Amino acid sequence: MALIVQKYGGTSVANVERIKVVADKVKATRDAGNDVVVVLSAMSGETNRMIALAKELNATPSAREMDVLLTTGEQTTIALLSMALHHLGVDAVSMTGDQIRMKTDASHSKARILDVETENLQAHIKAGRVVVVAGFQGRCENNNITTLGRGGSDTSAVAIAAALKADECQIYTDVDGVYTTDPRVEPNARRLDSITFEEMLEMASLGTKVLQIRSVEFAGKYNVPLRVLSSFKDGGGTLISYEENKMESPVISGIAFNRDEARLTLSGVPDQPTVAAQILSPIGDANIDVDMIVQNTVGNGKTDFTFTVHRDDYLEAKVLLETVCQELKAEAVQGNNEIAKVSIVGVGMWNHPGVAKTMFETLGEEGINIHQIATSEIKISVLVDSKYLELAVRALHKAFELATEPKEEK
Amino acid sequence: MALIVQKYGGTSVANVERIKVVADKVKATRDAGNDVVVVLSAMSGETNRMIALAKELNATPSAREMDVLLTTGEQTTIALLSMALHHLGVDAVSMTGDQIRMKTDASHSKARILDVETENLQAHIKAGRVVVVAGFQGRCENNNITTLGRGGSDTSAVAIAAALKADECQIYTDVDGVYTTDPRVEPNARRLDSITFEEMLEMASLGTKVLQIRSVEFAGKYNVPLRVLSSFKDGGGTLISYEENKMESPVISGIAFNRDEARLTLSGVPDQPTVAAQILSPIGDANIDVDMIVQNTVGNGKTDFTFTVHRDDYLEAKVLLETVCQELKAEAVQGNNEIAKVSIVGVGMWNHPGVAKTMFETLGEEGINIHQIATSEIKISVLVDSKYLELAVRALHKAFELATEPKEEK
């Protein structure tokens, strides 16, 4: 008998009919002989409806009160699913964030989990009950209601699975797993049966929006096997774990991309040790996230400094950079907001020399110019013109033979 | 500086515009130099919407989960009102039933309050904050979410006012006070400035649905002055307290009535000591509330036993009574489901002999036959044919001069 934590997102509990489907899935898992803890989000649309209501009363609603408001969403769904389970003859009990003692820090709307007490949960599980827990919510030391931020129900589920030492944490969502790349760009994209935590982190942060990145980090940290499955389609989904499946050790696992990049270069900057900080401080102060950073020293005591930001932040960042340019007596600010990032990700990459070469050759053959390259141990990212994004993804997907199941290695 | 507890019902917080009106009222009370604790219901319609949702999933939803579901309603309104108060520059903080430690017994959907801890409330009040509390909800010993039943927010407000020793508990509703009788029946009905707890209890239980009767009992028990006011109209409302206003000591305060009565008589019952219990046991077992009971001994060892029930229960009660009739070898079951009850209520009644005489004479002059009479210390009730209800109410309202302000007594 295994202990399974199942998390269902907002679209999976969006209405009465879908809640009934979730109840059926939970019952099936239970009937297969497992203990089950279910973690739920609010009905999709509810959170936005409540935010709109709040904004009508106060353009800048207090974060504390916003958390009081939004946590009603999961409290609603846990009660409803429990009733649906009772209707199927399944013993079930709902628990709010405070009832399972999900302790967080006091950062309203983006609280971090400090501890999950398992005593109450364990007692119900031992009594043979399915426990239906409100995700996304907790309580701080002062007994104020907190939330973990958008998508925080994934994090709740992983934290509960870790605390209970669950055998698997299943995240039910509207996609049926992690794909080699976005099937909307490459119709031959293939669902991966398994992927490592590290790969998943690179895939998620690079724009494959399947799981909240924090929940993947969390699962990796506590070694909770994580499985992404569809609420609407049957299938085994994708298992995310540390275990390298020897039967399946591809060179690269997938291709991630991000359409909305913009690139800024400050050229002819005097090459001093503090220059990177001087350039990036005003950007950070303006709450603009910086992604890839490259510094090239061009000789003669001057350097070129390049970084990327989200396209929406491009104009603001450019204005800030022009001020920095004057202060540092640099030569020029150049920018390009028609840029996309394409990355190949795979833990097997560095056992296979020539991966980078294959990537660059493939792009070269298609006539795609590379603006910038960044590498980590398990990924290579390149910046290309936006217009080449789909072409680059498809060419790389083919070059690395991602559409076919990898064969066993000898 | 006084401490005022204000309770706003569902229609008063039904939408964003009304919540803004409530915020204005709270601010005005605060600006007048008072400490304020606000107790809220759910937006009107929300509770019914949630019950409908639950019934779609389970025809007989668990009472525990129903409480989890329904308590989201007040949690929503307390957050929204707090935001609206912040917008007006009023320091305010919301608190759920568990955060103020509203301890109840474990009777889901109709829990009784055991204790209200005031420590948290007092701390916020002392810090100069308006505390916005979720009515209707509490927690039992096992930390399960409980509710006090429909209208329980009134009871929450009174319990909090009692615990805090508040100077006044103001119940804002959609009527502007307690009237001498229902203005829809007698357009000359007059709003009472004050009424005693005892009178209010008689008025409420007799069908003037202004306040939940439990909250009036509670207020009386803890001597919390209770004021009924309109959320929509200005005005002083009606103060309910123990204090007899010497300036205003009417003989009777008002006329209550109940349209939906039915009367059943078992005649020719052998006159034995246990007969009342034998007749009423099956009625009680069927969860039928019995109101007025009269037993007349007619001589020759036989008695007639008469009682009233709600009209909806008439047929079921009649069937039960026919079985009892056979068992007791009584003579006959008679019934009338076209009956109404009219009552005059007033603490001054018994200092004024002739009140009953005036009542019976007035009804007699209008040709209204009285089927049954019941009296308590502060009320006289009569049963009349339903068709005479409005006529009886208007005639009595006139006979007791209720439309005019009472004069000071010498």
Side-chain angles (χ1 to χ4, degrees):
Chain A
M1 185 186 257
L3 172 56
I4 309 286
V5 175
Q6 297 188 325
K7 182 259 167 178
Y8 294 91
T11 52
S12 307
V13 291
N15 55 45
V16 164
E17 289 316 310
R18 291 199 177 164
I19 289 172
K20 286 179 182 172
V21 171
V22 170
D24 287 336
K25 281 183 181 285
V26 172
K27 183 181 191 302
T29 311
R30 183 92 189 102
D31 289 348
N34 302 294
D35 286 327
V36 187
V37 173
V38 182
V39 178
L40 295 184
S41 300
M43 290 175 166
S44 63
E46 264 301 284
T47 304
N48 288 335
R49 189 183 68 83
M50 288 191 276
I51 290 171
L53 213 52
K55 297 266 179 187
E56 281 187 69
L57 289 163
N58 193 323
T60 54
S62 112
R64 180 192 186 278
E65 300 303 338
M66 206 62 178
D67 283 354
V68 174
L69 182 65
L70 295 184
T71 48
T72 62
E74 296 80 33
Q75 190 168 324
T76 299
T77 51
I78 59 172
L80 293 176
L81 180 63
S82 298
M83 292 170 185
L85 286 167
H86 296 163
H87 183 67
L88 299 178
V90 178
D91 195 3
V93 64
S94 72
M95 299 193 83
T96 59
D98 84 284
Q99 288 176 324
I100 60 159
R101 302 213 190 95
M102 174 71 79
K103 293 182 188 165
T104 73
D105 64 19
S107 308
H108 287 292
S109 85
K110 49 180 190 302
R112 299 196 80 86
I113 296 170
L114 301 178
D115 189 30
V116 187
E117 283 186 25
T118 57
E119 200 187 322
N120 293 337
L121 279 167
Q122 295 279 24
H124 284 303
I125 294 167
K126 213 168 171 181
R129 284 179 203 114
V130 170
V131 192
V132 184
V133 180
F136 176 68
Q137 59 183 244
R139 289 282 173 114
C140 75
E141 205 183 7
N142 292 326
N143 202 24
N144 287 318
I145 295 169
T146 56
T147 65
L148 311 179
R150 284 242 167 173
S153 293
D154 289 356
T155 310
S156 301
V158 172
I160 289 166
L164 291 171
K165 298 183 176 42
D167 296 283
E168 198 169 288
C169 181
Q170 300 177 341
I171 309 288
Y172 284 83
T173 174
D174 43 8
V175 298
D176 66 346
V178 181
Y179 276 70
T180 50
T181 195
D182 187 336
R184 285 169 300 187
V185 169
E186 169 52 89
N188 292 320
R190 183 176 51 84
R191 183 176 57 74
L192 295 162
D193 289 331
S194 66
I195 188 173
T196 68
F197 285 117
E198 298 89 340
E199 287 171 329
M200 186 64 210
L201 284 174
E202 295 290 2
M203 296 284 274
S205 65
L206 291 168
T208 306
K209 291 176 188 78
V210 175
L211 278 172
Q212 207 207 9
I213 187 161
R214 215 166 117 203
S215 64
V216 180
E217 284 174 1
F218 217 80
K221 186 171 170 192
Y222 291 99
N223 197 7
V224 177
L226 205 57
R227 190 181 291 276
V228 180
L229 302 127
S230 167
S231 302
F232 309 110
K233 270 203 276 185
D234 285 331
T238 301
L239 180 68
I240 308 158
S241 69
Y242 280 121
E243 284 167 45
E244 269 188 71
N245 190 335
K246 289 295 170 200
M247 294 291 285
E248 184 186 350
S249 69
V251 176
I252 77 161
S253 292
I255 298 167
F257 58 85
N258 192 345
R259 290 176 194 279
D260 305 313
E261 298 271 322
R263 183 170 184 251
L264 286 154
T265 298
L266 187 61
S267 56
V269 189
D271 191 10
Q272 301 156 0
T274 59
V275 79
Q278 282 175 285
I279 295 167
L280 293 179
S281 288
I283 307 291
D285 291 347
N287 266 322
I288 297 172
D289 278 334
V290 169
D291 184 12
M292 295 165 79
I293 300 170
V294 178
Q295 188 178 343
N296 277 343
T297 302
V298 291
N300 65 22
K302 303 249 171 170
T303 186
D304 291 347
F305 192 94
T306 301
F307 59 91
T308 61
V309 296
H310 192 278
R311 196 171 292 168
D312 292 347
D313 295 324
Y314 174 69
L315 288 178
E316 191 183 354
K318 194 150 185 264
V319 169
L320 292 167
L321 206 57
E322 271 153 7
T323 310
V324 173
C325 182
Q326 290 177 1
E327 287 170 5
L328 293 181
K329 296 191 196 339
E331 282 161 17
V333 173
Q334 289 151 29
N336 183 347
N337 64 351
E338 296 287 332
I339 290 287
K341 180 163 70 173
V342 178
S343 309
I344 56 173
V345 176
V347 286
M349 195 180 283
W350 297 104
N351 301 323
H352 293 261
V355 165
K357 180 169 160 279
T358 303
M359 184 183 197
F360 304 149
E361 269 178 10
T362 303
L363 296 174
E365 280 161 17
E366 300 291 346
I368 301 170
N369 191 30
I370 299 172
H371 295 294
Q372 194 167 317
I373 300 170
T375 60
S376 80
E377 287 189 29
I378 62 165
K379 78 154 191 236
I380 304 172
S381 301
V382 297
L383 289 187
V384 299
D385 285 343
S386 289
K387 63 182 175 185
Y388 293 129
L389 172 67
E390 287 80 3
L391 178 61
V393 169
R394 285 184 209 122
L396 292 169
H397 200 268
K398 194 174 176 206
F400 289 104
E401 297 176 351
L402 292 177
T404 45
E405 294 278 341
K407 290 182 193 71
E408 190 175 350
E409 295 217 325
K410 305 289 168 185
Chain B
M1 184 186 259
L3 171 56
I4 309 287
V5 174
Q6 298 187 325
K7 183 259 167 178
Y8 294 90
T11 53
S12 307
V13 292
N15 54 44
V16 163
E17 289 317 309
R18 291 200 177 163
I19 290 172
K20 285 179 183 172
V21 171
V22 170
D24 288 335
K25 281 184 182 285
V26 172
K27 183 181 192 302
T29 311
R30 183 93 189 102
D31 288 349
N34 302 294
D35 285 328
V36 187
V37 173
V38 182
V39 178
L40 296 184
S41 301
M43 290 174 166
S44 63
E46 265 301 284
T47 304
N48 288 335
R49 188 183 69 83
M50 287 190 278
I51 290 171
L53 212 52
K55 297 267 181 187
E56 281 187 69
L57 289 162
N58 193 323
T60 53
S62 111
R64 181 192 186 276
E65 299 304 337
M66 206 61 178
D67 283 354
V68 174
L69 182 65
L70 295 184
T71 48
T72 62
E74 296 79 34
Q75 189 167 324
T76 300
T77 51
I78 60 172
L80 293 175
L81 180 63
S82 298
M83 292 170 185
L85 286 168
H86 296 162
H87 183 67
L88 299 178
V90 177
D91 195 2
V93 64
S94 72
M95 298 192 84
T96 59
D98 84 284
Q99 287 176 325
I100 60 159
R101 302 213 189 95
M102 174 71 79
K103 293 183 189 166
T104 72
D105 65 19
S107 309
H108 288 293
S109 85
K110 49 179 191 300
R112 299 196 81 85
I113 297 171
L114 301 177
D115 189 30
V116 188
E117 283 187 25
T118 57
E119 199 186 322
N120 292 338
L121 279 167
Q122 294 279 22
H124 284 302
I125 294 167
K126 213 167 171 182
R129 284 180 203 115
V130 170
V131 192
V132 183
V133 180
F136 175 69
Q137 58 183 244
R139 289 281 174 116
C140 75
E141 206 184 6
N142 292 327
N143 202 25
N144 288 318
I145 296 170
T146 56
T147 65
L148 311 179
R150 284 243 166 170
S153 292
D154 288 357
T155 309
S156 299
V158 172
I160 289 166
L164 291 171
K165 298 184 174 45
D167 296 284
E168 198 168 289
C169 181
Q170 301 177 342
I171 309 287
Y172 285 82
T173 173
D174 43 7
V175 298
D176 67 346
V178 181
Y179 276 69
T180 50
T181 194
D182 187 337
R184 285 169 299 186
V185 169
E186 169 51 89
N188 291 321
R190 182 176 50 84
R191 183 176 57 73
L192 295 163
D193 289 331
S194 66
I195 188 173
T196 68
F197 285 117
E198 297 89 340
E199 288 171 329
M200 187 64 210
L201 285 175
E202 296 288 3
M203 297 284 272
S205 65
L206 291 168
T208 306
K209 291 175 188 76
V210 175
L211 277 172
Q212 207 207 10
I213 188 161
R214 213 166 118 205
S215 65
V216 179
E217 284 174 359
F218 216 80
K221 186 172 170 190
Y222 291 99
N223 196 7
V224 176
L226 205 57
R227 190 180 291 276
V228 179
L229 302 125
S230 166
S231 303
F232 309 108
K233 270 203 277 185
D234 285 333
T238 300
L239 180 67
I240 307 157
S241 69
Y242 280 121
E243 283 165 47
E244 269 188 71
N245 190 336
K246 290 294 169 200
M247 293 291 284
E248 185 185 349
S249 68
V251 176
I252 77 161
S253 292
I255 298 168
F257 58 84
N258 192 346
R259 291 178 193 278
D260 305 314
E261 298 271 322
R263 183 170 183 251
L264 286 154
T265 298
L266 187 61
S267 56
V269 188
D271 192 9
Q272 302 155 358
T274 59
V275 79
Q278 282 174 284
I279 294 167
L280 292 180
S281 288
I283 308 290
D285 291 347
N287 266 321
I288 296 172
D289 279 333
V290 170
D291 184 12
M292 294 167 79
I293 300 170
V294 179
Q295 187 178 343
N296 276 344
T297 302
V298 291
N300 66 20
K302 303 247 170 171
T303 185
D304 291 346
F305 192 93
T306 301
F307 59 90
T308 61
V309 296
H310 191 279
R311 196 170 293 169
D312 292 347
D313 295 324
Y314 174 68
L315 288 178
E316 191 183 353
K318 194 150 183 265
V319 169
L320 291 167
L321 206 57
E322 270 153 8
T323 310
V324 171
C325 182
Q326 290 177 0
E327 288 170 4
L328 293 181
K329 298 189 194 341
E331 282 161 17
V333 173
Q334 288 152 30
N336 183 346
N337 65 350
E338 295 287 331
I339 291 287
K341 180 163 70 171
V342 178
S343 309
I344 57 173
V345 175
V347 286
M349 195 180 283
W350 297 105
N351 300 323
H352 294 262
V355 165
K357 179 168 162 280
T358 303
M359 184 182 195
F360 303 149
E361 269 179 9
T362 303
L363 296 174
E365 280 161 18
E366 300 291 345
I368 301 171
N369 191 29
I370 299 172
H371 295 294
Q372 192 166 321
I373 299 170
T375 60
S376 80
E377 286 188 28
I378 62 165
K379 79 156 190 236
I380 304 173
S381 301
V382 297
L383 288 188
V384 299
D385 285 343
S386 290
K387 63 182 174 184
Y388 292 128
L389 171 66
E390 287 81 4
L391 178 62
V393 169
R394 286 186 209 119
L396 292 169
H397 201 268
K398 193 173 177 206
F400 289 103
E401 297 176 352
L402 291 178
T404 44
E405 294 279 339
K407 288 182 195 72
E408 189 174 352
E409 294 219 324
K410 304 288 171 186

